[in-house]
Amino acid sequence: LPAGLSQWFPALEVLDVSGTGLTEMGTELLALPCLHTLLAKNNRLGGPGSLPKGLEQAPLARSLRVLNLSGNRFSELPPALLQLRGLRSLSLGGNRLHGIPPDIQELHSLEFLYLGGNFITAIPPELAKLPSLRYLVLCDNKIQSIPPQLAQLHSLRSLSLHNNLLTYLPREILNLVHLEELSLRGNPLVVRFVRDLTYNPPSLQELAGRTVKTRNVPYAPSDLPDSLVRYLSLASNCPNPKCGGVYFDSCVRQIKFVDFCGKYRLPLMHYLCSPECSSPFSSASQSSTSQSSTSQSESDSEDEASVAAHRMQKVLLG
């Protein structure tokens, strides 16, 4: 950046240095107290010293609202950016990112996050701690699963996940009550649904724990070792309303197809206590054609479908 920039334009609010071949941004940037939008797309930023030292203490850290660093060479999200607490829009698409740092949760004001076109393999649960996030773009990465904690993003309007490696969605995704757009095209869950899921037999301890919980066998903490008392407190209720059982460590991972908008059927992951318990839901996952899948699973997923249909306004599958 040119020397004396802050002296020439002390009230500068928007700065666009995109496509200028920049490899670093100098300290002149720190002396722009009114700057709220910084666009530095399609440069060569990403090496050591790309961002000026002291960024988190500068007036810019408080004034900046929009930062676009897409099309650069960042292999990790610079820690200094996580101190820009007033940031509302952050774009780092088309870089070389391999992950999202858990400290992303510090950007409490963030409403728009664009990280498409990187090499990200996992989404940290801490991402769900962004209360104002409305638009989340994670397309064109290598993401294999979605943490169920993302259902806590109650302000989310658009979620772009196309061209990843997703084979299922967590059933908690139905809790995104304000979601209007979900983009999933180019994922394995769209072109082929998961059918072959394994089940490990429960241990003797689990069988005993299930018996205690399902039959309401009375016990006092003094009757059992502390480790067993803690174990019994970890029982999860089977979601099958016809079962009423529990499980601890051993469960059946089952794909349940849920009708969205009466047109698309999404495979959502849910957990059951045993293979026998999966029979009321298995017809959808064992169907050979999409037509039979729709007809056979409508009654099984009627409860979730009725809720999902009015919540999801647009589902993009390809």
Side-chain angles (χ1 to χ4, degrees), residues 64-66 84 86-90 109-113 133:
L64 202 60
R65 297 292 180 266
V66 177
L84 304 178
L87 211 58
R88 296 177 183 171
S89 176
L90 175 61
S109 300
L110 206 60
E111 298 177 5
F112 178 90
L113 178 60
L133 195 64

Side-chain angles (χ1 to χ4, degrees), residues 142-212:
K142 299 181 182 297
I143 299 169
Q144 300 183 40
S145 63
I146 303 299
Q149 289 87 348
L150 245 58
Q152 301 170 17
L153 292 173
H154 301 302
S155 298
L156 202 62
R157 298 293 189 273
S158 177
L159 177 58
S160 296
L161 295 168
H162 52 272
N163 298 331
N164 276 286
L165 302 175
L166 298 171
T167 55
Y168 70 91
L169 297 177
R171 60 185 291 116
E172 289 83 358
I173 201 85
L174 296 174
N175 294 329
L176 294 174
V177 296
H178 297 297
L179 198 65
E180 299 172 357
E181 180 176 300
L182 174 62
S183 178
L184 295 170
R185 64 183 184 274
N187 280 282
L189 68 81
V190 175
V191 297
R192 60 178 176 84
F193 294 128
V194 178
R195 293 192 180 102
D196 185 19
L197 298 175
T198 59
Y199 173 68
N200 295 320
S203 64
L204 291 177
Q205 177 176 279
E206 171 139 353
L207 290 174
R210 291 186 182 193
T211 301
V212 170

